[in-house]
Amino acid sequence: MVKKSCGICLGASTISAVELEKTDNIYKVTKIIRKEHEGNPKKIFEEVLKELNPKDYPVLVTGRRFRNFVNLPSISEAEAVEAALQYIAKKEDKYDVLVSAGGETFIVYRLDENLRIIGISTGNKCASGTGEFFLQQIKRMALTINSAMEIAQQGEPYRVSGRCSVFCKSDCTHALNKGVPVANVTSGLCKMIAEKIIELIKKLPHKKVIITGGTALNKPVIKYIKQEIKNVTVPEEAPYFEALGAAILSFKKGESVKQQLFKEGETSFPRLSPLKYATELVTFCESKRGEFWEYNKCIIGLDVGSTTTKAVLLRMDDDAILSSVYLRTNGNPVEASRKCYETIYNSIKDKNVEIIGIGITGSGRQIAGLFTLTEGIINEIIAHATAAV
């Protein structure tokens, strides 16, 4: 007799689901779904369930905090990991360490000879070496996950900090603004992530290591890990490992999907008073937008930030803003600056405008200032203070 079940892992950045068939204690994976939820897990969870359509078989969920808001039975990630490991491991697979390399954090499970979890280690919550952080950084460089992994394998790893996400982001930004090739920065990110995993593994006795989670799909990361750690295995089931474990346990612990999918009144956010009650505490200032005169003596202000680049055309006589532009830096401060100049030029080419100078600020100010041949390079603090005054 064929039975079916479903396991769903509600991860920090991805929702994965596995549909299983069971015939005489033999399991067969019949469907796999993986979708990034981009901060909207409810919507993607509903889409995944619709695609699975589990009308007459049990469902069990696992994952982090979001599983507590779903009106279905759930298990911890550790339980799901154990179940999946028992399923995929062969008799000769004497793993003693399992690394779950996910989007939010890296967890290392210490295993006994029966592949049961006997200890857990995690990375620093502030650490930058996580899957979600990697996705954030490559998005700033206008790269997809596949293109990032491809160019990372071609680059020489640029050294970036792994102890803090803020420092790492700054390292990447300043490197790109100095003209370090994107391939080198991306390769450096991959090596930094690998080093975070290596650091956790080396704290434990290890002869045979298995790596699971979405980060296991990052080939450059795995390459750097294998250079330092022997006997590393990345199973085919790595990206949906916890969902597989939940599907196996769903035969015993799962339930059919209820009509009311989410629990009412559950939230992970603190509740604060509406902002309207604080309006009297705030002074709202509007920037002056001016009309072009017969003659306009102007300066340009350019802010080359790590994520976005902004520019304004300011008339000297009355500080009126005559033109402005706001766009993404995409890891290329010079090109972003050019696009800003182009936008402002197109807005004034039929006007009588004389531009007598340009001031540049932001994390990319040095290279943008060099490109513009201006001495008006100032840091963000001075720029903020001057604008406020």
Side-chain angles (χ1 to χ4, degrees), residues 303-366:
D303 176 12
V304 186
S306 60
T307 306
T308 58
T309 296
K310 293 76 70 177
V312 294
L313 180 71
L314 197 72
R315 186 161 52 212
M316 301 273 305
D317 292 334
D318 61 348
D319 289 341
I321 295 173
L322 302 181
S323 180
S324 65
V325 57
Y326 185 106
L327 47 79
R328 296 191 71 83
T329 306
N330 286 332
N332 192 333
V334 171
E335 183 60 28
S337 302
R338 281 176 174 155
K339 288 180 179 178
C340 284
Y341 302 143
E342 182 181 12
T343 300
I344 289 179
Y345 172 74
N346 288 334
S347 71
I348 65 170
K349 56 186 178 182
D350 59 344
K351 311 292 184 185
N352 186 5
V353 174
E354 180 187 7
I355 298 173
I356 65 167
I358 179 168
I360 299 180
T361 189
S363 61
R365 61 187 179 274
Q366 298 297 341

Side-chain angles (χ1 to χ4, degrees), residues 26-97:
I26 297 175
Y27 298 107
K28 179 184 177 183
V29 176
T30 52
K31 188 177 285 187
I32 300 164
I33 301 172
R34 289 187 78 248
K35 291 187 176 184
E36 292 180 17
H37 57 66
E38 296 183 341
N40 193 347
K42 280 190 175 183
K43 178 187 173 186
I44 302 303
F45 181 60
E46 289 175 324
E47 289 180 6
V48 168
L49 276 180
K50 188 175 181 180
E51 195 171 332
L52 287 167
N53 195 24
K55 288 182 178 178
D56 55 357
Y57 58 87
V59 177
L60 185 65
V61 299
T62 187
R64 308 308 295 271
R65 191 180 305 165
F66 182 59
R67 69 184 173 96
N68 298 319
F69 309 128
V70 175
N71 212 8
L72 280 166
S74 67
I75 57 172
S76 67
E77 286 180 303
E79 292 174 274
V81 164
E82 274 194 354
L85 190 56
Q86 297 287 336
Y87 167 71
I88 71 158
K90 301 179 178 65
K91 288 184 179 180
E92 66 272 18
D93 290 335
K94 299 297 182 183
Y95 300 114
D96 44 22
V97 168

Side-chain angles (χ1 to χ4, degrees), residues 103-322:
E104 186 180 45
T105 188
F106 293 161
I107 301 174
V108 176
Y109 298 102
R110 193 156 54 93
L111 308 170
D112 65 13
E113 58 184 14
N114 297 315
L115 302 181
R116 297 293 182 185
I117 295 172
I118 56 174
I120 297 176
S121 303
T122 60
N124 184 346
K125 278 288 185 181
C126 185
S128 48
T130 60
E132 181 64 21
F133 180 81
F134 180 75
L135 293 176
Q136 291 168 3
Q137 298 314 302
I138 63 172
K139 191 175 291 185
R140 288 176 53 245
M141 292 183 271
L143 297 173
T144 64
I145 182 74
N146 290 329
S147 62
M149 288 191 292
E150 184 178 340
I151 68 168
Q153 296 187 78
Q154 301 167 6
E156 289 294 323
Y158 180 84
R159 188 72 183 171
V160 295
S161 171
R163 64 191 176 97
C164 172
S165 57
V166 176
F167 293 162
C168 186
K169 176 178 176 288
S170 297
D171 285 349
C172 294
T173 299
H174 294 311
L176 293 167
N177 287 347
K178 289 188 294 185
V180 176
V182 172
N184 293 2
V185 176
T186 310
S187 181
L189 277 170
C190 291
K191 189 169 185 181
M192 177 273 294
I193 291 171
E195 287 171 349
K196 302 301 292 186
I197 296 174
I198 292 166
E199 180 185 1
L200 287 169
I201 294 172
K202 284 188 173 181
K203 291 178 180 178
L204 302 173
H206 59 276
K207 292 182 179 178
K208 197 167 187 181
V209 177
I210 180 170
I211 301 179
T212 66
T215 303
L217 295 174
N218 191 317
K219 292 180 181 179
V221 169
I222 299 301
K223 180 189 76 172
Y224 289 128
I225 292 173
K226 287 183 175 180
Q227 289 175 358
E228 293 286 327
I229 306 291
K230 295 179 180 178
N231 295 325
V232 172
T233 299
V234 178
E236 178 187 344
E237 299 84 356
Y240 53 89
F241 203 73
E242 285 85 352
L244 173 63
I248 293 168
L249 294 177
S250 182
F251 287 108
K252 293 181 179 179
K253 300 184 177 184
E255 293 180 6
S256 58
V257 176
K258 299 174 177 63
Q259 190 169 2
Q260 186 174 324
L261 198 54
F262 303 106
K263 297 176 183 176
E264 290 186 356
E266 293 282 347
T267 176
S268 61
F269 298 103
R271 296 184 182 276
L272 302 174
S273 300
L275 283 175
K276 63 182 181 181
Y277 297 138
T279 53
E280 293 181 359
L281 304 175
V282 182
T283 300
F284 294 92
C285 299
E286 293 184 10
S287 58
K288 297 178 184 177
R289 292 280 166 168
E291 300 293 330
F292 285 96
W293 295 341
E294 288 188 14
Y295 169 70
N296 305 270
K297 184 165 70 171
C298 299
I299 54 174
I300 288 177
L302 180 73
D303 176 12
V304 186
S306 60
T307 306
T308 58
T309 296
K310 293 76 70 177
V312 294
L313 180 71
L314 197 72
R315 186 161 52 212
M316 301 273 305
D317 292 334
D318 61 348
D319 289 341
I321 295 173
L322 302 181

